[in-house]
Amino acid sequence: MLILLAAGHAALVLSFPYAPVIALGLWWNSNTIAHYFIHRPFFRAGAWNVAFSLFLSVLLGVPQTLWRERHLAHHASRAWRFRLSGRLAAEMLLILGLWSLLLFRHPRFFLATYLPAYALGLLLCWIHGHYEHARGTTSHYGMLYNLLFLNDGYHIEHHAQPAEHWTRLPRWTQPGTRASRWPAILRWLEIKKGSGVVFLLSSARAPIPSLMKRLPTPFLIETLEHEVLRSRTLQQFVLRRHEAAFRRLLPRLTHVHQVAIVGGGLFPRTLLILERLLPQANFIVIDQSAANIHKAKSMVNGDARFLHETYAPGLVEGMDLVVIPLSFVGDREAIYRHPPARAVVIHDWLWRRRGHSTVVSFLLLKRLNLVLS
């Protein structure tokens, strides 16, 4: 069945070579088919296992010998060291060959679609692996997730019996096992009060502990920001998707002359975009982090004014437009109910649709909500 699923994954990528298919496929396959292939090779004949490893390497863009050695070192609780072998070299050459062909024959697709999606897929894998062990190895027993991810949620059970067939992992569940109601990729939603506060990009005067129960951790967002800053391709992808979303809201943003952006952030995409879309407007950026302000100033050329302040409604009085970031820590619902300006654009998660709304990117799980007072 896993061999057929791998073939189906390849057929899906070939038939629909879109960024979500590439990114989500890399994440899903690496944590299901490729993972189980590490522990229980699918064929009796070694040559067939080598061939399948080469196939997965090309499909995922990840040398499977490298993935296998790193993962087995993780199970053995020992440091991993890179070792070049003939099999690893063959996998790397095949990947390099495919990438070179794509760059030569389809440069726009390779640079604008494949590489950003590949980077996002790797980031999803990193988040997944990190939160499987962030507070000690943790399992997740949700039926839907374990159906789609082939019992990957039984992670404590897998560590106890790494060679056990995935269909039999539920048999090893013990009473009192550390478990989470969230699968690993969403486990950052379990942030507790008082943790992660030092990573905030912007904040409000509302009591933080009461808000943390319903807000995602800003640590995740800042981690993503750092990844974007390392890649010009990712920066361009993020800018394009956000600019397209703002352009869809632009017809409703009339007579905008004074704009306040909360949270300059490590990567000031909103300021960069709105300076192009609203060339006659004056901009104020409010951020409680001096380091973030310094970074933002180095990336913009306009005349925006930066305030090293914690957000408060009084700071945006008289503004025509206020932009609230996804990392905002404060009473977001109060902003929806009582907008602090004539127009407020709120970056929010994909599943939180309010007011006039448009999706930024399904890959980024993000949308823009425009609220008019």
Side-chain angles (χ1 to χ4, degrees):
M1 186 186 79
L2 297 184
I3 296 167
L4 290 175
L5 285 173
H9 177 197
L12 186 65
V13 171
L14 289 172
S15 302
F16 304 97
Y18 304 127
V21 176
I22 296 168
L24 295 177
L26 169 57
W27 165 54
W28 173 80
N29 193 320
S30 295
N31 290 284
T32 53
I33 298 167
H35 177 217
Y36 290 129
F37 183 63
I38 288 173
H39 294 284
R40 295 177 62 94
F42 298 164
F43 304 94
R44 287 192 175 92
W48 280 101
N49 285 318
V50 171
F52 193 74
S53 180
L54 293 170
F55 165 71
L56 284 180
S57 298
V58 173
L59 175 60
L60 302 179
V62 178
Q64 292 302 291
T65 299
L66 187 68
W67 169 213
R68 180 177 184 274
E69 291 179 354
R70 283 180 59 91
H71 188 69
L72 292 182
H74 159 70
H75 272 272
S77 299
R78 58 177 171 81
W80 168 78
R81 293 182 179 179
F82 178 81
R83 295 185 302 113
L84 184 62
S85 63
R87 182 167 166 179
L88 176 57
E91 292 168 354
M92 293 172 68
L93 285 173
L94 278 177
I95 294 170
L96 183 61
L98 173 64
W99 288 8
S100 299
L101 179 64
L102 289 175
L103 182 60
F104 178 73
R105 297 289 299 272
H106 308 285
R108 183 182 180 89
F109 165 78
F110 181 71
L111 296 173
T113 300
Y114 179 85
L115 281 185
Y118 176 76
L120 180 59
L122 291 180
L123 180 61
L124 290 173
C125 288
W126 179 86
I127 294 170
H128 189 114
H130 173 77
Y131 282 101
E132 280 179 327
H133 309 93
R135 296 176 183 143
T137 306
T138 305
S139 289
H140 167 71
Y141 299 128
M143 182 181 299
L144 179 61
Y145 176 81
N146 284 302
L147 175 65
L148 295 177
F149 278 75
L150 310 180
N151 285 341
D152 176 69
Y154 290 87
H155 202 65
I156 289 178
E157 294 77 6
H158 168 66
H159 270 263
Q161 302 290 333
E164 181 63 282
H165 195 276
W166 65 273
T167 59
R168 292 191 289 270
L169 286 175
R171 301 179 184 179
W172 294 94
T173 302
Q174 298 293 326
T177 296
R178 182 188 293 111
S180 168
R181 67 191 182 102
W182 296 101
I185 194 66
L186 296 176
R187 205 159 291 158
W188 44 268
L189 291 169
E190 286 184 331
I191 186 170
K192 302 300 181 183
K193 61 184 180 179
S195 61
V197 174
V198 296
F199 298 102
L200 305 183
L201 299 181
S202 59
S203 66
R205 292 180 176 175
I208 288 177
S210 65
L211 300 167
M212 282 304 198
K213 296 177 181 179
R214 62 178 182 272
L215 287 172
T217 169
F219 169 71
L220 173 67
I221 298 170
E222 181 152 320
T223 299
L224 295 174
E225 293 283 281
H226 279 290
E227 292 301 321
V228 170
L229 283 174
R230 292 190 180 101
S231 168
R232 173 68 64 177
T233 301
L234 283 177
Q235 290 178 31
Q236 293 302 316
F237 168 74
V238 169
L239 282 170
R240 282 199 306 272
R241 298 311 305 159
H242 282 80
E243 181 167 345
F246 271 107
R247 285 188 181 278
R248 290 191 290 272
L249 295 177
L250 202 59
R252 300 180 183 275
L253 298 174
T254 57
H255 307 294
V256 174
H257 303 291
Q258 303 294 328
V259 180
I261 300 171
V262 178
L266 296 171
F267 179 37
R269 67 181 71 84
T270 300
L271 180 58
L272 292 169
I273 291 167
L274 291 184
E275 281 183 331
R276 288 200 296 269
L277 299 183
L278 302 170
Q280 305 304 318
N282 297 312
F283 295 91
I284 295 177
V285 177
I286 304 168
D287 198 301
Q288 71 169 13
S289 169
N292 287 350
I293 289 176
H294 178 74
K295 184 68 177 178
K297 284 182 176 180
S298 70
M299 300 182 70
V300 297
N301 299 316
D303 297 323
R305 187 159 59 97
F306 289 81
L307 297 181
H308 183 202
E309 298 278 357
T310 297
Y311 168 79
L315 294 175
V316 298
E317 285 184 3
M319 293 291 159
D320 301 310
L321 172 65
V322 174
V323 182
I324 302 294
L326 188 60
S327 57
F328 179 77
V329 176
D331 195 343
R332 190 178 298 259
E333 287 301 316
I335 293 178
Y336 279 122
R337 291 192 302 269
H338 306 290
R342 182 168 56 85
V344 181
V345 171
I346 304 172
H347 293 72
D348 216 328
W349 293 110
L350 186 65
W351 49 88
R352 295 176 180 167
R353 179 171 183 167
R354 301 288 294 271
H356 305 287
S357 187
T358 184
V359 173
V360 174
S361 170
F362 286 99
L363 281 176
L364 299 175
L365 301 178
K366 193 176 182 183
R367 67 170 59 246
L368 296 182
N369 293 329
L370 170 63
V371 182
L372 304 174
S373 62

